[in-house]
């Protein structure tokens, strides 16, 4: 994960359980940037901006914003606090942009004002991770089995429903320790949207969303918190972004229907985004996993993540900096995605992002000059 080297130069508020040293200095969001820069023109842009939200894309944002600061001279202080917190801070205008893996609701859009836009930045897989002594990566799960585990219907690892999917694997007669998010989470939205799509009992019970009433289990804060709990809890299962499973060396399972299990990867998540392409609306507010995309090599528990910006902003300098950061994320930054276990955006989504970024205005002027 070489793209994470030096990430503390950008912001120590980005949290990975194995890397984090927390704390970011307060910055002046509207300090004017002196000098030029390539791309959208950093001249006249704020020198520093604050953002907060989703932990799912935090490793990607860390790497991209570090390079963005080096190349464009604009520092981005990003706090990995979860999607719900990111939407709330965006609504309260305590950050220049929010970040979420769960689309804003209509009510949140109204509360935020300024015609909020969802700029898709990257895609990725959410994977079932587990910690079972003697069982390596590669367990098979169907969506209904995962739902039944999280509903509390399946409580032991050697339950016939799991054993039948994994012939030849010695599963222990041990109670399953279920781990979920304790905070409002876009990763949870991707996970529960899939469970609701494949399990009628889940759909009519806990349902889909970033904040639900969990039937069972213990909670961890952020992807990093869930990864840490699974790593330290014997016989546990949880869900995190693929990048967190890899970074924390956690075993993770394949998902699908019996006889057609798909390994989570950049390629299989990319295939899921492509499979759901016709269902993605113009405003990009769509949870891929809710469609349960199918096909050969398609990993269904996949989602997009967004930064949240206002089409109409008050501060021209801040608007220029946000627009330029958004452009960099969706263009130059995409080259960093695969090595960090994220999916680069397909061309049709990048094209829509470009239209949205170019629509941003402040003081009657366009914010992106490219």
């Amino acid at each position: 994960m070489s793209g994470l080297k030096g990430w503390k130069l950008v912001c120590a508020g980005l949290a990975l359980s194995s890397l984090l040293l927390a704390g970011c200095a307060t910055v002046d969001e509207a300090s004017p940037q002196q000098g030029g820069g390539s791309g959208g023109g950093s001249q006249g842009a704020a020198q520093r901006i604050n953002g907060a939200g989703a932990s799912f894309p935090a490793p990607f944002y860390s790497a991209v914003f570090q390079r963005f600061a080096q190349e464009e001279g604009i520092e981005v202080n990003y706090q990995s606090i979860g999607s719900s917190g990111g939407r709330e801070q965006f609504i309260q205008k305590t950050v220049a942009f929010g970040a979420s893996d769960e689309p804003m609701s209509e009510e949140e859009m109204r509360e935020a004002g300024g015609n909020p836009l969802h700029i898709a930045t990257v895609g990725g897989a959410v994977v079932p991770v587990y910690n079972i002594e003697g069982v390596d990566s590669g367990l098979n799960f169907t969506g209904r089995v995962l739902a039944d585990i999280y509903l509390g219907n399946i409580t032991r690892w050697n339950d016939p429903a799991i054993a039948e999917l994994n012939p030849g694997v010695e599963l222990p007669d041990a109670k399953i320790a279920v781990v979920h998010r304790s905070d409002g989470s876009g990763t949870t939205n991707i996970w529960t949207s899939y469970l609701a799509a494949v399990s009628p009992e889940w759909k009519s019970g806990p349902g889909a969303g970033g904040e639900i009433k969990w039937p069972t289990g213990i909670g961890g804060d952020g992807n990093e918190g869930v990864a840490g709990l699974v790593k330290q809890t014997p016989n546990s299962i949880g869900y995190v972004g693929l990048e967190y499973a890899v970074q924390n060396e956690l075993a993770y399972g394949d998902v699908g229907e019996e006889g057609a299990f798909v390994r989570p990867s950049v390629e299989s998540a990319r295939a899921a985004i492509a499979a759901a392409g016709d269902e993605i609306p113009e405003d990009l507010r769509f949870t891929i996993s809710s469609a349960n995309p199918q096909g050969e090599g398609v990993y269904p528990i996949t989602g997009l993540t967004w930064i949240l910006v206002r089409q109409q902003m008050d501060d021209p300098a801040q608007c220029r900096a946000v627009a330029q950061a958004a452009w960099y994320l969706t263009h130059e930054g995409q080259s960093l995605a695969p090595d960090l276990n994220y999916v680069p955006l397909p061309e049709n989504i990048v094209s829509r992002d470009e239209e949205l970024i170019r629509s941003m205005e402040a003081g009657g002027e366009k914010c992106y000059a490219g």
Side-chain angles (χ1 to χ4, degrees):
M1 305 270 299
S2 61
L4 294 179
K5 291 180 180 178
W7 64 276
K8 287 182 287 183
L9 294 174
V10 180
C11 174
L14 285 168
L16 286 172
S17 60
S18 62
L19 297 176
L20 175 65
L21 291 173
C24 287
T26 301
V27 295
D28 177 5
E29 297 176 4
S31 176
Q33 167 67 22
Q34 301 299 323
S38 62
S42 58
Q43 188 169 2
Q47 187 176 16
R48 303 177 183 90
I49 54 173
N50 292 332
S55 63
F56 176 72
F60 174 68
Y61 289 170
S62 172
V64 175
F65 288 147
Q66 176 182 327
R67 184 174 292 184
F68 178 61
Q70 293 169 346
E71 295 184 0
E72 302 296 340
I74 299 174
E75 296 180 19
V76 180
N77 169 15
Y78 181 77
Q79 298 270 1
S80 172
I81 62 172
S83 293
S84 180
R87 296 195 306 277
E88 180 61 26
Q89 287 204 18
F90 177 68
I91 290 168
Q92 298 299 324
K93 296 186 177 182
T94 57
V95 290
F97 67 91
S100 180
D101 323 311
E102 179 179 6
M104 297 180 74
S105 67
E106 293 299 330
E107 181 179 355
E108 288 175 329
M109 299 271 282
R110 288 192 296 270
E111 290 176 353
N115 188 24
L117 306 175
H118 289 60
I119 309 297
T121 56
V122 80
V126 175
V127 304
V129 290
Y130 53 87
N131 177 4
I132 311 171
E133 186 175 356
V135 179
D136 295 327
S137 185
L139 278 185
N140 295 324
F141 297 98
T142 64
R144 290 205 178 194
V145 163
L146 289 172
D148 280 339
I149 291 172
Y150 273 79
L151 285 165
N153 297 336
I154 295 175
T155 60
R156 306 194 76 79
W157 277 112
N158 65 346
D159 187 286
I162 302 176
E164 288 173 6
L165 304 177
N166 297 279
V169 178
E170 293 187 16
L171 294 164
D173 182 15
K175 183 175 175 61
I176 300 172
V178 175
V179 181
H180 54 73
R181 288 284 288 271
S182 59
D183 55 332
S185 159
T187 307
T188 294
N189 175 60
I190 296 170
W191 179 257
T192 59
S193 292
Y194 172 70
L195 298 185
V198 298
S199 167
E201 186 176 355
W202 188 275
K203 183 177 181 179
S204 64
E211 295 182 81
I212 66 167
K213 184 177 181 180
W214 293 100
T216 188
I218 57 175
D221 190 17
N223 272 267
E224 49 277 87
V226 171
L229 276 174
V230 171
K231 196 163 190 175
Q232 70 187 27
T233 306
N235 301 310
S236 58
I237 187 171
Y239 59 91
V240 296
L242 174 60
E243 63 283 358
Y244 286 87
V246 172
Q247 175 64 29
N248 288 278
E249 299 181 340
L250 291 168
Y252 54 93
D254 300 358
V255 178
E257 301 303 320
E258 192 166 354
F261 300 102
V262 179
R263 187 69 176 156
S265 67
V266 171
E267 292 74 22
S268 59
R270 180 187 288 116
I273 296 172
D278 291 342
E279 300 189 52
I280 300 174
E282 283 293 299
D283 64 7
L284 304 180
R285 294 164 61 202
F286 182 72
T287 301
I288 303 293
S289 60
S290 68
N292 185 21
Q294 295 295 304
E296 184 177 355
V298 171
Y299 181 74
I301 317 178
T302 292
L304 295 171
T305 190
W306 306 270
I307 62 167
L308 310 173
V309 306
R310 289 177 176 83
Q311 191 269 330
Q312 294 285 342
M313 293 184 67
D314 297 327
D315 185 328
Q318 188 178 87
C319 188
R320 293 186 192 102
V322 172
Q324 190 172 344
W327 192 274
Y328 196 92
L329 275 170
T330 56
H331 290 77
E332 293 91 336
Q334 295 296 297
S335 65
L336 301 180
D339 286 345
L340 296 171
N341 294 293
Y342 295 93
V343 180
L345 298 171
E347 289 184 8
N348 62 318
I349 292 180
V350 173
S351 295
R352 183 57 184 150
D353 278 339
E354 290 177 350
E355 293 174 3
L356 296 174
I357 294 167
R358 287 192 170 111
S359 76
M360 295 174 64
E361 297 180 348
E365 296 181 1
K366 295 292 184 181
C367 296
Y368 187 75

